[in-house]
Amino acid sequence: MAAYIIRRLLILPIILIGVTILIFGMLQVLGPVERSALYVRDIPKNEHQVDAIITRYGLDKPFYVQYWNWLVGTVDGATGERVGGVLRGDLGYSRTGREPVIDVLLRRFPATLELAAWAMVPVIGLGIWIGAKAALNHNKPFDQVARVLAILGWSFPTFVFALLMLLVFYAKLDWFQPGQLSTQFSQEVLQPGFTQYTHMMTIDSLLNLRFDIFLDSLRHLIMPVTTLMVIEVALLLKITRSSMLEEMRQDYVTTARAKGLPEKMVVNRHIRRNALIPVITVAGLTLAGLMGGVVITETVFNYPGIGSWAAAAAVSLDVLSMLGYALFTAVLLVIANLIVDVMYAVLDPRVRLS
Amino acid sequence: MTAASEPVVLRPGASDAGELRELTRLEKALGPEWARLLKGIVTNPLSVTGIVLIVLFALAAIFAPILAPPPNEMWNPMQIPRDGFRAEPQPPMSEWNKNSPMTVPWWYRNIWPRQEEWVHLMGTTSGQYDIWYGVVWGARTAFFASFVVTFATTLLGVIVGALAGFYGGWIDEALMRVVEIFYAFPFITGALILASLLTPLFGRSVWPATIALIIFGWTGYARQLRGDILTTKERDYVLAARASGAKDSHLMLQHVIPNAMFPTLVRISLNMGAVVLSFAALSFLGIGLPEGYADWGQVVSFARSWILTLDQYWYIIIFPGIALLLYGLGWNLIGDALRDILDPKLRGKKA
C-alpha cells in the first residue's frame, strides 16, 4: 500500500505540470495581438504599443519560453521588478471581477464550497440508499422505478431543471428566491456587527447567533441544492447498485448464508461493507460533477460563487479570469482525487495488503 | 464475451447448455454477438421507447423544411425567423406578422382548416424568435452535435486507448497520464473555457462548442477501451492469432479492437445524449452560437431575462426543454438497455 501511495504522490507533480501546460496551451488559440490585451487594463489604440507589449512580454517567442514566463513571471525592463507569474500567485487582473483574479477566486469560493457541501450530503445519502435498496430488490418494482428515475435525472438538462424550479417555486409560488440572501440580510451581513468568519453564510450566521439569517440562507440554498442533487444522484445510484449486485454474487456471500447467518447480517456486514468501497471513488467524480454543475446552477440562480463568475467571464472572453478559474478547479480536483485514491487504498484490503 | 468470429455459441441459461445448436439466419448474417445485441434491443420495451423517440427526432430533422418552412428561399434555414424586435414574448397561437413562412404546408392546413396564415404555434421568445421553428430546426443542430462529437471522440479514444492497452509499457504510462490531466477538469468547465477561447478563431458558429466538446470528451473512451483491450488481448483466440504469426496491425484491427468495442457501444449511446446536453448548456450560457441560431439551449436561454415572470412565459422553457429532455432520454434508454445486454455478468440470467 505504501508503494501505491508513494507512486500516487510522485505522479502528482507531473499531473499538475500537465494541467498548467494544458491551460496555457488552450490560451495559444488566441494570436499574439489578442493575448497582448491581457497585459494591459486599457487597450492601447496605438499599434506601436501593441507591438511593444508583444516584445516586452515575449508573446512571439516559442511556446516553452512563453510558458516559463507565464509560470514564473517576467522581469520588467524599466523597474527591474518581477511581474506576473502564476506560481507566485499572480493570476492577472479580472475584467469581470474588477480586481485581481486570485482575490475574486478566494472571495467567491466559500459560497461555492458551501453549495457543493450542502449538495454532497443528499447526493451521497440518497444515492447510496436508493442504489443499495434497488440492488437488494433486483428487478422488482423498486429497482425498476429507481432505474427509470436515474435515467431521467441523467437526461435532464441542468438549466432546464433549474429554470423549472424558478418557474414553480419563485415566479408562481414565491416560496424561494434566487441569490444567496434576501435583500435586507445581504446588506446586514456586510455591516461591522456581523463577522464573516468563513464567508459561508450558513456557518457564519450560526457563529453570529443570527438564526434568522441562517434560515434565510438555507431557504436560498434549497433550489440550487435540489438542482445539483437531481443531476448528480443518478451516477452514485447506478454505481452503488451495480457494485452491490456484484458483491451479492460472490462466493463469500453464499458461504455466509450457508453458515446460517441472518439475512440482515449478510447484507449489512458482508455485502454492503464491501460494495461501498468502490463507491468512495465515485465521491471524487461527484465532486468533479458538482464543480462543473455549479457553473450552470449558480448562473441560473444568480448565486455569487466562482461558477457564475466563470460563466460570466467566458461569455465576455475575460481570458485571465477563465484561466485562473480553470487552474483553481483543476488543482482542487487533482488533490481531491489523490485523497480519494489514498482512501481507497486504505479501505480496500485487496489494495492494502498487496 | 463471445467473440464475433467464433462459429458457434452456447445458448445461455437454457436446459441444453453445453450442447451446440444451429445458428439462426440473423446470427449467420451478423455474427452471434451482433445478432444478440440487435435482438435484445428490439425486444426490450425501454430501448424500443428510446428508438422511437430518436426516430421521431430524426424525422423532425429531415422534414424540418416542411414542418417549419423558412420565410423565403434566400433565408439561412438555421437562423430562426423573428417577428419584429419587441422584447415581450408572445404566447402560443399568437399572430405571425413579419417573416412568416413562405408556404402553408398541407399538414398545417389540415390541422387548422380555417387557418391560411401561420401563427406562432409555440409562441415567441423575447426578440420575437419563433419557438416552433427553433425546436424543429434545433433537431438538426442536436443530431449534428451528437454525431460529430461522438464520432470524433470515439475515434480519438479508440486510437489512444488501443495504443495504450495494446503496447503497454511507457506508451501506456504516458498516454494514461495525459488522460489523467484532462480528468482534472470538470468536463463542462474545460469545454466552456476552450469554446470561449475558440470563438474569436472560428467566429460565432457551431464549431467552437463542437471542437471543445471533442477535446475534453475523448478521455472516457480511451480509459475504457484500454481496460477492455487489456483483457481481450489475453484471450485464447488472440494468442492463437499471434502465435500463428499475425502482424500487430492485423491483430489489433481484426481481433482485439472489434471484440473490445462492445462495452464502448454503451458509452457511445449514452454520450449521444450527453453531448447534446453539454452543447445546449454552452449555448444556454451564450458561448459559441450566433444569436437566433436554431438550437434548443439557445431558445431556453431567452427565458433568463424573464425570471420574475417565468410562470407567464413558461412556453420559452417548456417546449425546447422537453425536446432536449426527450432527445437525451432516447439515447440514454438505448444505452441503458445495451448495457444490460452486453454485461457479461448479467448474461444468462432472466432479465
Side-chain angles (χ1 to χ4, degrees):
Chain A
M1 182 183 67
Y4 175 77
I5 292 176
I6 289 170
R7 201 181 106 87
R8 292 294 318 171
L9 285 174
L10 285 178
I11 290 176
L12 184 69
I14 301 176
I15 300 296
L16 287 178
I17 292 169
V19 163
T20 56
I21 292 179
L22 179 60
I23 289 176
F24 192 71
M26 284 201 283
L27 183 58
Q28 302 306 305
V29 300
L30 298 177
V33 178
E34 285 148 325
R35 271 180 287 135
S36 71
L38 308 179
Y39 291 87
V40 281
R41 289 179 200 181
D42 314 303
I43 294 167
K45 294 169 186 78
N46 193 327
E47 222 172 278
H48 281 296
Q49 272 175 291
V50 175
D51 290 339
I53 291 165
I54 291 176
T55 26
R56 183 162 142 211
Y57 292 99
L59 298 181
D60 47 358
K61 297 235 177 74
F63 177 78
Y64 62 91
V65 178
Q66 291 190 47
Y67 171 66
W68 185 249
N69 286 343
W70 180 70
L71 276 187
V72 300
T74 46
V75 178
D76 192 309
T79 57
E81 271 178 56
R82 191 164 273 275
V83 287
V86 167
L87 289 184
R88 306 188 323 131
D90 187 348
L91 298 171
Y93 186 81
S94 164
R95 259 196 297 119
T96 39
R98 291 173 193 282
E99 56 183 322
V101 171
I102 188 80
D103 293 351
V104 186
L105 276 172
L106 294 178
R107 193 165 45 75
R108 298 197 121 190
F109 180 62
T112 298
L113 186 65
E114 183 176 28
L115 178 57
W118 277 101
M120 204 86 167
V121 178
V123 166
I124 291 184
L126 274 180
I128 290 179
W129 182 71
I130 301 178
K133 189 153 186 200
L136 293 172
N137 295 291
H138 189 40
N139 285 336
K140 291 200 188 116
F142 186 92
D143 186 29
Q144 306 288 12
V145 171
R147 182 175 168 182
V148 171
L149 283 182
I151 299 177
L152 259 178
W154 200 243
S155 317
F156 227 115
T158 322
F159 55 97
V160 174
F161 188 85
L163 284 169
L164 285 178
M165 292 214 71
L166 280 176
L167 192 163
V168 176
F169 296 108
Y170 175 55
K172 188 90 193 162
L173 301 169
D174 203 19
W175 289 356
F176 311 117
Q177 290 82 36
Q180 194 183 22
L181 283 176
S182 303
T183 332
Q184 78 258 35
F185 293 127
S186 57
Q187 289 304 315
E188 208 177 325
V189 294
L190 298 173
Q191 305 299 321
F194 188 93
T195 325
Q196 299 216 10
Y197 300 98
T198 60
H199 289 268
M200 287 186 247
M201 274 315 146
T202 44
I203 296 177
D204 284 350
S205 56
L206 288 180
L207 291 176
N208 282 284
L209 300 174
R210 289 296 305 269
F211 297 105
D212 48 345
I213 299 185
F214 176 73
L215 287 177
D216 188 59
S217 59
L218 273 193
R219 257 166 56 106
H220 283 83
L221 277 169
I222 287 178
M223 283 197 293
V225 162
T226 312
T227 306
L228 286 172
M229 187 189 82
V230 167
I231 312 298
E232 289 301 320
V233 84
L235 176 69
L236 203 67
L237 189 163
K238 274 186 189 174
I239 291 184
T240 313
R241 178 178 173 273
S242 59
S243 174
M244 285 284 284
L245 282 179
E246 196 172 338
E247 291 301 326
M248 280 158 69
R249 278 191 285 265
Q250 300 289 327
D251 290 340
Y252 69 83
V253 176
T254 319
T255 314
R257 286 215 177 99
K259 280 196 307 192
L261 275 187
E263 186 61 22
K264 210 171 180 178
M265 196 112 119
V266 176
V267 169
N268 287 328
R269 290 283 180 80
H270 289 72
I271 301 175
R272 209 183 288 267
R273 255 193 202 184
N274 287 305
L276 287 185
I277 295 171
V279 173
I280 292 166
T281 45
V282 187
L285 282 179
T286 307
L287 183 69
L290 286 175
M291 292 312 290
V294 293
V295 175
I296 302 274
T297 313
E298 286 182 358
T299 304
V300 177
F301 291 113
N302 197 16
Y303 187 85
I306 55 171
S308 53
W309 170 65
V315 171
S316 58
L317 202 65
D318 176 2
V319 178
L320 291 177
S321 300
M322 284 194 278
L323 297 190
Y325 167 76
L327 197 62
F328 186 83
T329 31
V331 170
L332 191 78
L333 284 185
V334 168
I335 293 171
N337 280 332
L338 179 79
I339 295 172
V340 165
D341 279 354
V342 171
M343 264 170 67
Y344 183 73
V346 172
L347 285 172
D348 192 338
R350 281 165 298 192
V351 183
R352 184 171 62 213
L353 302 173
S354 66
Chain B
M1 181 159 297
T2 316
S5 50
E6 276 176 341
V8 284
V9 284
L10 302 176
R11 188 186 299 161
S15 56
D16 58 348
E19 285 171 40
L20 302 180
R21 63 176 172 85
E22 290 285 316
L23 288 170
T24 62
R25 261 165 62 201
L26 194 66
E27 284 170 332
K28 269 184 198 152
L30 297 168
E33 191 67 23
W34 284 104
R36 205 172 65 83
L37 211 151
L38 199 70
K39 223 167 134 190
I41 275 219
V42 296
T43 50
N44 180 327
L46 286 182
S47 59
V48 170
T49 315
I51 291 171
V52 168
L53 284 173
I54 296 305
V55 167
L56 286 178
F57 278 109
L59 290 176
I62 293 166
F63 295 110
I66 298 168
L67 291 172
N72 55 60
E73 260 124 50
M74 305 297 288
W75 192 269
N76 168 14
M78 292 317 287
Q79 195 67 30
I80 307 175
R82 58 197 301 189
D83 185 1
F85 297 91
R86 272 197 307 159
E88 205 188 331
Q90 304 295 310
M93 311 308 284
S94 53
E95 216 176 307
W96 194 329
N97 298 315
K98 275 177 238 148
N99 281 331
S100 61
M102 52 182 167
T103 52
V104 182
W106 53 270
W107 65 268
Y108 189 86
R109 281 171 214 264
N110 286 344
I111 295 173
W112 291 276
R114 283 179 298 273
Q115 288 280 6
E116 286 299 316
E117 294 291 317
W118 270 86
V119 292
H120 296 293
L121 290 176
M122 294 179 170
T124 63
T125 66
S126 37
Q128 307 311 314
Y129 290 105
D130 183 61
I131 296 177
W132 165 252
Y133 191 96
V135 169
V136 170
W137 287 85
R140 289 201 175 185
T141 313
F143 276 107
F144 171 84
S146 313
F147 277 105
V148 172
V149 173
T150 308
F151 178 76
T153 46
T154 311
L155 194 69
L156 261 171
V158 166
I159 292 172
V160 173
L163 287 176
F166 193 75
Y167 289 106
W170 67 268
I171 296 181
D172 181 25
E173 193 68 25
L175 288 175
M176 283 305 110
R177 290 298 84 75
V178 173
V179 168
E180 224 171 298
I181 289 163
F182 277 91
Y183 260 89
F185 297 90
F187 175 63
I188 197 75
T189 304
L192 172 78
I193 289 166
L194 186 56
S196 165
L197 288 171
L198 285 170
T199 307
L201 197 66
F202 288 91
R204 287 202 156 262
S205 66
V206 286
W207 291 109
T210 308
I211 293 171
L213 291 175
I214 293 171
I215 303 268
F216 280 92
W218 59 273
T219 47
Y221 289 99
R223 239 185 204 187
Q224 171 162 17
L225 206 80
R226 170 184 173 271
D228 293 329
I229 282 183
L230 282 180
T231 49
T232 308
K233 76 173 182 181
E234 299 303 325
R235 294 199 188 276
D236 293 341
Y237 58 87
V238 178
L239 296 178
R242 192 194 288 274
S244 64
K247 271 191 268 169
D248 273 4
S249 56
H250 176 81
L251 268 180
M252 287 267 263
L253 296 175
Q254 289 295 317
H255 297 287
V256 180
I257 293 183
N259 287 301
M261 271 303 277
F262 286 103
T264 302
L265 284 179
V266 178
R267 186 177 281 270
I268 289 177
S269 175
L270 295 175
N271 254 27
M272 292 288 281
V275 160
V276 165
L277 295 193
S278 310
F279 189 89
L282 292 182
S283 71
F284 171 77
L285 290 174
I287 307 287
L289 291 178
E291 194 190 302
Y293 195 89
D295 172 78
W296 298 330
Q298 162 107 232
V299 178
V300 178
S301 75
F302 285 103
R304 283 171 67 186
S305 0
W306 303 94
I307 297 292
L308 261 168
T309 42
L310 272 184
D311 50 341
Q312 207 181 324
Y313 303 128
W314 54 273
Y315 41 89
I316 310 180
I317 311 170
I318 299 288
F319 295 121
I322 287 179
L324 254 174
L325 175 64
L326 291 182
Y327 185 88
L329 194 65
W331 288 112
N332 284 339
L333 285 171
I334 299 173
D336 211 64
L338 270 182
R339 191 205 336 259
D340 280 2
I341 298 164
L342 291 168
D343 190 346
K345 284 175 229 127
L346 297 176
R347 177 167 303 184
K349 304 216 167 191
K350 273 178 244 152

